Amino acid sequence: MMPVEEIKLTASFRVDLTDVDEAAISEIRHLFAEYRRIVNELIEHAHSHRTTSFISLHHAKYHELRQRYPTLPSHYIDTACRHAASIYKSFLELKKMGVCEKEKPVFKRWAIWLDKQLFKLDIEGWRASIAVHGGRWITLRLLHGKYHDKFRDMKLGEARLVLKDDGSLYLNVVFRQAVMLPEMGADAKVIAVDVNENVIVYGNDDFIERLETNEGIIRTRYFLKRRRIQSKIRGKGLRARLLGKYKGREWRRIREVYYNVAKKIIGKAKEAGATVIIMEDLNVYKEDKDSKELNGRIHRWGYRRFQRILEYQAKLHGLNVKYVDPAYTSSLCPICGGELEEGSNGRRLRKCKRCGLEEDRDAIAVKNLTKRYYGECMDAKTP
Ligand SMILES: [Zn+2]
């Protein structure tokens, strides 16, 4: 039997604020402020009771908050409890990893979690309604997005209402869809994907292809642009706005690159009859703090985002995705497992000390990831 999996994707709808009257805007602002106050109060409680559990937060605070905010739709208190629990949980995780110096988290964003009782979406009519105080609803007109038509056939999930620093308002809606995925067995044909700074390499034992993404170059350019803004613009507000604008622009450029790469890989997988896409399991890196090679790469901005995009697109197109342990995939021989050294012909080539194999280092990573997949399939069979 084919495994069935539910995939999720967030659609970001920009709200047309020219269509919203003053009273509605101030009502929405009021909602943001109240929700944020509640979330921070819940975080405070979570912190003083050292709990990350939604249920205990809800149990301790729900009735009190209901009484203090009688006209606020009660589901906002539910979602605020979930939201606070999740913020406090990620705070404790960061703390554990030693990368957070703050004593306790403070929720500073303008973001509201909405469950299905708090919003209605009319995707055909490009409208959404949000529940506000006193059982009333505010209807918002949504602007058409580039990729939004595909959501029509998907199941509606929860949403987030987000107010950006520049004053724009977004409704981010999660959609779900059940997909049938092929079995990941030892007889599956696969394509392994290796992500580097400016190039993504993919293939298997039969072929290797390289795609120039120039991601590192794009990022360096935006980094320099932001540094110029930092040093030249005096006004704090303007500086923050400009930095935000370029950050957004950079991410949109890179996201477009990622989507194009994902499309090409999926096209190639179909053409080659591959049913499983293999990527590096980046979680493994976390535990391996001594490895310089691996550590530089986890911080790589966007790597996980690329993986998420490729995974989602692959599953949507009926391909399965497997993450394998990437340790030593660039330093060991894919044929005999021997140690590799610099090849004779420049930096790209690597040579095996033991069996003499000489191969491009990109091809080596792809072949090792492929090998590891089949190795894990074998391990799973032998108890
Ligand atoms: Zn070898």
Side-chain angles (χ1 to χ4, degrees):
M1 229 178 61
M2 273 182 157
V4 178
E5 197 173 309
E6 193 170 55
I7 53 171
K8 286 207 278 186
L9 189 69
T10 305
S12 188
F13 297 94
R14 187 168 177 167
V15 175
D16 181 5
L17 285 173
T18 59
D19 196 55
V20 187
D21 64 41
E22 267 318 306
I25 286 185
S26 77
E27 173 72 59
I28 290 170
R29 285 192 179 277
H30 176 52
L31 191 65
F32 271 108
E34 200 156 83
Y35 179 86
R36 185 157 91 173
R37 210 156 49 231
I38 292 171
V39 169
N40 277 319
E41 186 178 329
L42 287 162
I43 290 173
E44 195 78 45
H45 182 90
H47 183 62
S48 59
H49 291 76
R50 295 273 154 193
T51 178
T52 57
S53 146
F54 157 73
I55 291 174
S56 56
L57 261 187
H58 195 266
H59 187 74
K61 298 287 287 180
Y62 180 82
H63 287 288
E64 181 204 329
L65 288 166
R66 276 295 282 145
Q67 278 175 352
R68 278 167 45 215
Y69 298 94
T71 60
L72 183 71
S74 65
H75 279 261
Y76 282 111
I77 297 172
D78 296 332
T79 59
C81 286
R82 256 178 234 291
H83 202 164
S86 127
I87 290 171
Y88 195 60
K89 194 171 169 201
S90 16
F91 168 79
L92 289 185
E93 276 162 14
L94 291 176
K95 209 67 188 162
K96 207 166 124 194
M97 282 163 68
V99 293
C100 181
E101 283 167 9
K102 280 182 288 181
E103 170 61 27
K104 66 178 181 201
V106 178
F107 177 52
K108 288 187 189 150
R109 293 181 59 222
W110 295 113
I112 301 175
W113 284 14
L114 304 166
D115 66 16
K116 279 199 232 164
Q117 277 69 41
L118 296 172
F119 78 105
K120 293 173 198 155
L121 183 69
D122 167 18
I123 199 167
E124 302 293 331
W126 292 89
R127 274 172 202 286
S129 306
I130 310 292
V132 293
H133 290 84
R136 286 174 303 116
W137 291 78
I138 288 177
T139 300
L140 304 168
R141 208 165 74 87
L142 306 172
L143 297 167
H144 288 243
K146 208 171 170 184
Y147 309 103
H148 286 128
D149 283 321
K150 63 175 177 238
F151 297 111
R152 290 215 159 95
D153 306 323
M154 297 179 73
K155 213 163 80 195
L156 187 66
E158 67 278 6
R160 287 165 198 206
L161 195 63
V162 178
L163 184 63
K164 297 263 174 91
D165 289 341
D166 63 4
S168 55
L169 184 66
Y170 286 83
L171 181 69
N172 299 332
V173 185
V174 175
F175 288 89
R176 296 160 195 279
Q177 184 175 328
V179 286
M180 300 266 269
L181 296 176
E183 214 76 63
M184 293 197 281
D187 52 354
K189 222 173 174 185
V190 303
I191 283 190
V193 182
D194 181 53
V195 181
N196 300 289
E197 184 139 47
N198 286 308
V199 62
I200 290 180
V201 188
Y202 58 96
N204 51 35
D205 292 333
D206 303 330
F207 78 94
I208 301 284
E209 277 180 17
R210 299 162 52 88
L211 273 173
E212 305 283 337
T213 57
N214 293 328
E215 191 189 329
I217 297 169
I218 298 171
R219 264 188 293 122
T220 306
R221 200 153 59 220
Y222 277 96
F223 170 77
L224 293 173
K225 220 173 250 183
R226 280 198 300 274
R227 210 170 57 178
R228 270 202 307 279
I229 293 168
Q230 292 276 22
S231 65
K232 291 226 170 98
I233 308 287
R234 291 266 169 269
K236 220 175 153 191
L238 177 64
R239 193 166 60 211
R241 258 203 316 283
L242 282 175
L243 289 175
K245 182 173 121 185
Y246 282 112
K247 194 88 207 147
R249 210 177 267 182
E250 175 186 24
W251 167 233
R252 282 191 295 277
R253 278 243 9 227
I254 289 178
R255 188 175 54 187
E256 185 148 346
V257 170
Y258 288 166
Y259 271 101
N260 287 333
V261 171
K263 202 170 155 187
K264 284 200 179 121
I265 294 174
I266 290 160
K268 185 68 196 184
K270 295 253 171 188
E271 190 190 308
T275 55
V276 180
I277 288 184
I278 300 164
M279 288 190 274
E280 298 184 15
D281 180 358
L282 298 176
N283 293 323
V284 177
Y285 289 147
K286 244 193 248 165
E287 282 135 42
D288 191 0
K289 282 197 175 146
D290 298 328
S291 167
K292 241 192 189 162
E293 178 200 13
L294 303 182
N295 257 331
R297 300 175 72 181
I298 353 175
H299 296 299
R300 289 223 16 245
W301 189 84
Y303 196 164
R304 270 168 208 279
R305 281 167 160 166
F306 170 71
Q307 288 194 330
R308 254 180 261 143
I309 288 171
L310 179 57
E311 176 175 350
Y312 173 80
Q313 293 292 332
K315 286 178 174 171
L316 202 58
H317 287 86
L319 302 170
N320 219 333
V321 174
K322 173 85 174 165
Y323 293 94
V324 300
D325 181 352
Y328 310 113
T329 43
S330 53
S331 55
L332 294 182
C333 172
I335 305 294
C336 73
E339 219 176 298
L340 296 173
E341 58 183 6
E342 295 291 307
S344 50
N345 197 3
R347 297 200 350 260
R348 298 224 60 85
L349 281 180
R350 289 283 168 91
K351 193 177 174 182
C352 176
K353 285 182 191 169
R354 200 190 289 164
C355 76
L357 170 96
E358 212 170 7
E359 184 109 71
D360 194 276
R361 41 186 289 202
D362 297 334
I364 285 171
V366 162
K367 286 184 178 172
N368 272 323
L369 289 171
T370 304
K371 189 179 168 190
R372 205 147 288 181
Y373 167 83
Y374 290 117
E376 284 183 14
C377 287
M378 298 305 277
D379 289 348
K381 266 190 191 159
T382 39

